[in-house]
Amino acid sequence: MEAWLEEQFCLLETRGTSEDFFAELLKVTSALGFDFCAYGIRMPYPLSAPRTEMLNNYPKPWQQIYQQKNYLQVDPTVHHGLSSQLPIVWSDQVFSKTPELMEDARSFGLAYGWAQSSRQANGTVGMLTLARSSEMLGPSELARYRYQLLWLTQVSHQGLASRICAEKFEIPDLSQRELEMLKWTADGKTAEEIALILGITTRTVNFHISQAMRKLDVVNKTAATVKAALLGLI
């Protein structure tokens, strides 16, 4: 157990890209007896169609089929992960409404699996999935590795969520004044009220809000405030 924890702390210290971190993660999950590992993240923006990104070592043909058949929209483990942070073990019952998905997965060696999600305050949800081609995940094994899997879920999310968001989103560099305007706007204050609170002109308030909108690539101050909040800027 101590050696395993040491590996986890080493994993946390991994430098570089999300791909670099995932490569180290694969070594740990392989040592636990899993052939496949996947980490998926659902970003909170845009609100109308949250963006999803994934890293995995699944067979390429399976990745293509999963995408072509749009399995992401019906995958019961994904739906579970979006609503609960409790672990879920693959079973015929779990995939009872999507038997074709399970049949296709098994044809590529993904027969037995386990998944657990983790959520950030801004609404970002990450899910770690481990799978293998043989040996069912029994109660004794799950009990034996319960704490390792829980810890690994947190380590994975800690190491990958921020990396993926930084790589996939261009985080704008807002000035302190621009951030201040957006914070007051988020509190429901009008430009006139913000000007009165800060002792500046309404024109100055609107200028800084316009600059923030431009940097965030949005069309109004409501969208600017929402995007800044979901990106963790305010």
Side-chain angles (χ1 to χ4, degrees):
M1 182 67 174
E2 290 182 2
W4 189 87
L5 284 174
E6 185 176 346
E7 287 181 347
Q8 298 307 292
F9 285 118
C10 289
L11 183 60
L12 280 173
E13 295 173 354
T14 299
R15 304 296 179 185
T17 67
S18 59
E19 294 282 355
D20 295 328
F21 190 97
F22 187 72
E24 294 302 313
L25 177 62
L26 284 177
K27 296 177 183 178
V28 178
T29 57
S30 177
L32 286 176
F34 293 95
D35 305 315
F36 305 105
C37 174
Y39 177 80
I41 182 172
R42 182 175 181 177
M43 303 174 187
Y45 192 86
L47 288 172
S48 58
R51 186 170 174 175
T52 300
E53 299 288 342
M54 180 173 285
L55 291 169
N56 64 70
N57 69 333
Y58 293 155
K60 293 295 183 182
W62 167 237
Q63 294 183 45
Q64 293 169 357
I65 287 178
Y66 193 90
Q67 185 174 8
Q68 290 169 1
K69 294 189 176 182
N70 201 23
Y71 277 149
L72 180 66
Q73 299 302 316
V74 299
D75 192 328
T77 65
V78 173
H79 285 282
H80 173 84
L82 290 173
S83 61
S84 172
Q85 294 184 55
L86 293 175
I88 185 170
V89 179
W90 294 5
S91 68
D92 289 336
Q93 181 178 1
V94 168
F95 290 94
S96 62
K97 295 182 179 180
T98 55
E100 184 182 357
L101 190 164
M102 189 71 260
E103 183 178 345
D104 282 344
R106 284 173 175 162
S107 70
F108 290 100
L110 287 86
Y112 307 102
W114 169 99
Q116 187 167 10
S117 66
S118 183
R119 182 182 295 269
Q120 291 182 320
N122 68 350
T124 298
V125 180
M127 189 167 78
L128 177 68
T129 301
L130 307 179
R132 62 193 185 199
S133 56
S134 61
E135 295 185 36
M136 183 180 295
L137 287 162
S140 60
E141 182 180 8
L142 290 171
R144 185 167 68 253
Y145 291 131
R146 175 185 177 186
Y147 295 109
Q148 286 96 325
L149 293 172
L150 175 60
W151 175 244
L152 195 58
T153 299
Q154 301 305 316
V155 169
S156 302
H157 192 57
Q158 179 73 22
L160 289 170
S162 58
R163 282 178 169 85
I164 293 175
C165 286
E167 292 166 1
K168 301 300 181 180
F169 276 119
E170 183 178 346
I171 307 298
D173 184 19
L174 300 185
S175 70
Q176 289 302 311
R177 203 57 157 168
E178 290 160 358
L179 292 172
E180 186 177 24
M181 301 303 158
L182 293 181
K183 288 177 182 178
W184 283 113
T185 301
D187 284 340
K189 302 298 182 182
T190 64
E192 291 76 14
E193 290 172 329
I194 297 172
L196 184 62
I197 292 169
L198 299 177
I200 57 179
T201 66
T202 301
R203 182 177 179 181
T204 299
V205 172
N206 287 328
F207 169 76
H208 288 301
I209 290 177
S210 295
Q211 287 294 95
M213 288 166 50
R214 178 183 62 79
K215 291 179 181 179
L216 288 162
D217 192 26
V218 295
V219 297
N220 57 54
K221 65 180 182 180
T222 299
T225 303
V226 170
K227 187 171 183 178
L230 292 177
L231 292 178
L233 297 174
I234 61 174

